[in-house]
C-alpha cells in the first residue's frame, strides 16, 4: 500500500503497510471520513510523522486520542491549532515548562515548533469522530503506533521517551531502558496532575540534559 508519509518513516514502517490489519484500518478510516466529521483533517493524520522525520527523532511524547472538537486537532498529541484556547492538559504542560525552565506561556498552543526540532508528538490513535472521544480506538491504530515506537526503540539510540499517565506508560512497555531514557509521571490532565507526580517532574530539563550528554542539540522548548 502506498501511504503518504515521511520517507524515513515509510521505510521503517514498510512491513506494517502490507499487513491485513492496516488494510482494514484504512478502509474504516476512509468510511468514517466520508460519512462523518472526523479529526484531524485528512491531510494531517500523519502530521506527527511528517514534521518529525524518523532519523531526526530525539524526544517522544505519547498521547492517547486526537482532540475531538472543531478546529482543535492538528495531528500532534496535546497540540492545538493557533487561535484555539488551551485545553486543560496543555495549560498544565506549559505551567510545568515555566516552573522547570522559566519559559513563559507561548502565544499559541501549536507544538509544531517542538516537532520541527525532533519531538515526535505521537497519539496512540491517530483519528477520531467529532464529539466522540475514543471512537476510533481498537480499530488498528494502536498496533500501528506500537510499531512506530518499536521501530524507534530498535533502530535508533539515545531517544528520550516521555510517558505521562498510565496509558502512555503501558504504551512504552517495549522500550529498552539501557538504550534510551524513559521519563514517567502522572498525566497532565487537571484531575491527575493535581494529585501530584506531574508538577515538579522536570521532564523538559531532564530531557535536555540527556540529549546534551549524548552529543545532541537540546530542544528549545
Amino acid at each position: 500500500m502506498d501511504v503518504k508519509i515521511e520517507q524515513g518513516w515509510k521505510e521503517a514502517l514498510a512491513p506494517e503497510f502490507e499487513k491485513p490489519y492496516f488494510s482494514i484500518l484504512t478502509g474504516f478510516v476512509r468510511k468514517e471520513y466520508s460519512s462523518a466529521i472526523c479529526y484531524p483533517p485528512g491531510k494531517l493524520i500523519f502530521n506527527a510523522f511528517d514534521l518529525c522525520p524518523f532519523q531526526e527523532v530525539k524526544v517522544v511524547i505519547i498521547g492517547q486520542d486526537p482532540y475531538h472538537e472543531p478546529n482543535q486537532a492538528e495531528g500532534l498529541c496535546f497540540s492545538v491549532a493557533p487561535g484555539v484556547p488551551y485545553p486543560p492538559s496543555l495549560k498544565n504542560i506549559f505551567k510545568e515548562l515555566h516552573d522547570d525552565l522559566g519559559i513563559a506561556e507561548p502565544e499559541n498552543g501549536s507544538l509544531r515548533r517542538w516537532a520541527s526540532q525532533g519531538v515526535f508528538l505521537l497519539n496512540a490513535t491517530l483519528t477520531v469522530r467529532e464529539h466522540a472521544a475514543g471512537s476510533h480506538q481498537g480499530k488498528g491504530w494502536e498496533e500501528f503506533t506500537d510499531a512506530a515506537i518499536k521501530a524507534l526503540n530498535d533502530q535508533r539510540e539515545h531517544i528520550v521517551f516521555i510517558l505521562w499517565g498510565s496509558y502512555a506508560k503501558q504504551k512504552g512497555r517495549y522500550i529498552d531502558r539501557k538504550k534510551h531514557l524513559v521519563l514517567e509521571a502522572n498525566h497532565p490532565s487537571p484531575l491527575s496532575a493535581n494529585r501530584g507526580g506531574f508538577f515538579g517532574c522536570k521532564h523538559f530539563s531532564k530531557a535536555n540534559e540527556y540529549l546534551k550528554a549524548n552529543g545532541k542539540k537540546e530542544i528549545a522548548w
Side-chain angles (χ1 to χ4, degrees):
M1 185 180 293
D2 185 25
V3 178
K4 290 181 173 61
I5 193 170
E6 189 272 328
Q7 187 60 32
W9 282 110
K10 192 169 189 175
E11 293 169 7
L13 295 172
E16 302 306 306
F17 301 135
E18 304 307 319
K19 291 180 180 178
Y21 87 85
F22 195 81
S23 178
I24 295 168
L25 169 62
T26 301
F28 167 78
V29 170
R30 283 177 178 156
K31 185 177 180 182
E32 282 285 286
Y33 273 73
S34 66
S35 62
I37 297 174
C38 297
Y39 301 119
K43 64 182 181 181
L44 298 181
I45 291 173
F46 293 112
N47 204 25
F49 299 80
D50 294 333
L51 292 181
C52 191
F54 182 77
Q55 293 298 338
E56 296 177 22
V57 175
K58 296 191 284 189
V59 178
V60 178
I61 299 178
I62 299 175
Q64 191 164 351
D65 248 17
Y67 296 118
H68 53 81
E69 296 302 323
N71 304 315
Q72 288 185 309
E74 56 175 9
L76 307 171
C77 73
F78 296 108
S79 179
V80 290
V84 176
Y86 303 151
S89 291
L90 184 58
K91 196 164 187 67
N92 283 340
I93 288 169
F94 289 150
K95 182 179 186 302
E96 172 59 23
L97 180 58
H98 176 266
D99 292 346
D100 184 6
L101 291 171
I103 296 172
E105 190 173 275
E107 293 180 359
N108 65 70
S110 177
L111 302 180
R112 287 171 180 257
R113 61 190 176 278
W114 293 2
S116 66
Q117 298 177 75
V119 181
F120 184 43
L121 296 160
L122 179 67
N123 273 317
T125 304
L126 299 187
T127 57
V128 69
R129 187 184 285 213
E130 186 178 46
H131 309 315
S135 51
H136 289 185
Q137 290 178 5
K139 304 296 183 181
W141 278 131
E142 293 90 346
E143 186 171 347
F144 179 74
T145 52
D146 274 349
I149 294 167
K150 191 172 189 303
L152 289 170
N153 178 70
D154 294 348
Q155 299 178 39
R156 298 284 314 283
E157 290 185 337
H158 306 310
I159 290 175
V160 182
F161 288 86
I162 295 178
L163 311 178
W164 292 328
S166 57
Y167 187 90
K169 291 173 188 176
Q170 178 67 14
K171 193 81 175 165
R173 63 192 179 279
Y174 302 119
I175 300 165
D176 183 348
R177 296 170 187 238
K178 295 178 182 176
K179 191 177 176 185
H180 306 285
L181 176 65
V182 177
L183 300 173
E184 298 183 346
N186 282 2
H187 195 276
S189 64
L191 184 63
S192 181
N194 291 330
R195 287 203 305 259
F198 177 74
F199 293 125
C201 68
K202 298 189 179 298
H203 283 178
F204 302 103
S205 58
K206 289 176 181 176
N208 275 352
E209 288 164 8
Y210 180 82
L211 293 174
K212 186 176 181 180
N214 286 282
K216 297 185 180 186
K217 188 177 180 180
E218 298 167 79
I219 306 297
W221 299 104

